Amino acid sequence: TTEIYTLSLHDALPICPPPLGRPIKVEEAEDYIFGYVILNDWSARDIQPWEYVPLGPFTAKNFATTISPWVITPEALEPFVCPTSAVVQTDPEVLPYLRDPNYTSYDLKLAVDLETPVADGTTVTTIAETNFKHMYWTARQMLAHHSVTGCSFNPGDLYGSGTISGTIDNSEGKSINYGSLLEQCWRGANDIPLKDGGTRKFIRDGEIGRAHV
């Protein structure tokens, strides 16, 4: 059992596979991305630190992953293409095989609502607001990096973007621009205020987290 149960907001990309063993170039990666969904990477954060050394977070993350019911194609997202918040990739510098000649992202405003039970029903509080354009690495670069050693894909394979967080420091609990609940509460140091006057650091039994665009 876990007492520190959190969510983590990602975009995920269903894949159309390339020929077996052939790396995908950044310039052609878009041809292999079928679309995008919202992904929630559920985590047992009290188990996860115990697993970090030497094995990494296995059982703390392998029990549940949730995705949205609809796949949105790159063509449907064309009106939302925008510069990334980094604008250019200088920190860190990008290796030649990862240089994206079309270094752009999508202006997708994402949010997470927490539905908590109260005496007369439920209360809904928005506990996270962020944007996909804050991702430093593009989906094209992620796919190129994953396949650079010849790692194969199968039709319908899904890979996550990583946690989508904003650029505002939240060390004092004054912002909700982090896509990870662990980051949002600064590893339990800050309370997250709820509309009913309560506070949370982590999700409790009976509560519902809803991610939306």
Side-chain angles (χ1 to χ4, degrees), residues 74-166:
E75 290 80 6
L77 291 174
E78 275 296 320
F80 302 95
V81 171
C82 70
T84 68
S85 59
V87 184
V88 295
Q89 288 185 302
T90 57
D91 186 18
E93 290 283 350
V94 179
L95 294 174
Y97 78 94
L98 285 175
R99 289 173 187 162
D100 190 345
N102 180 29
Y103 184 54
T104 57
S105 187
Y106 295 112
D107 184 10
L108 301 177
K109 296 178 181 179
L110 300 147
V112 177
D113 296 336
L114 183 64
E115 185 176 313
T116 54
V118 293
D120 57 350
T122 57
T123 296
V124 178
T125 305
T126 300
I127 60 171
E129 290 179 329
T130 185
N131 196 303
F132 189 62
K133 68 182 180 182
H134 295 313
M135 298 300 295
Y136 186 77
W137 302 104
T138 69
R140 297 175 293 276
Q141 290 173 313
M142 294 177 197
L143 189 55
H145 182 63
H146 190 95
S147 67
V148 70
T149 57
C151 179
S152 61
F153 291 94
N154 293 313
D157 277 356
L158 190 77
Y159 73 93
S161 65
T163 303
I164 304 170
S165 291

Side-chain angles (χ1 to χ4, degrees), residues 20-86:
L20 183 64
R22 184 176 74 78
I24 299 172
K25 297 178 181 179
V26 169
E27 295 86 352
E28 64 178 349
E30 198 77 46
D31 296 336
Y32 295 97
I33 298 173
F34 178 71
Y36 295 81
V37 297
I38 297 174
L39 181 146
N40 180 31
D41 175 21
W42 298 100
S43 301
R45 297 293 190 181
D46 47 354
I47 297 173
Q48 188 172 328
W50 174 78
E51 291 186 309
Y52 268 148
V53 182
L55 298 176
F58 287 172
T59 58
K61 285 182 170 287
N62 70 2
F63 57 91
T65 298
T66 305
I67 65 171
S68 55
W70 297 100
V71 179
I72 309 302
T73 64
E75 290 80 6
L77 291 174
E78 275 296 320
F80 302 95
V81 171
C82 70
T84 68
S85 59

Side-chain angles (χ1 to χ4, degrees), residues 13 36 122 182 213:
L13 300 89
Y36 295 81
T122 57
L182 187 69
V213 179

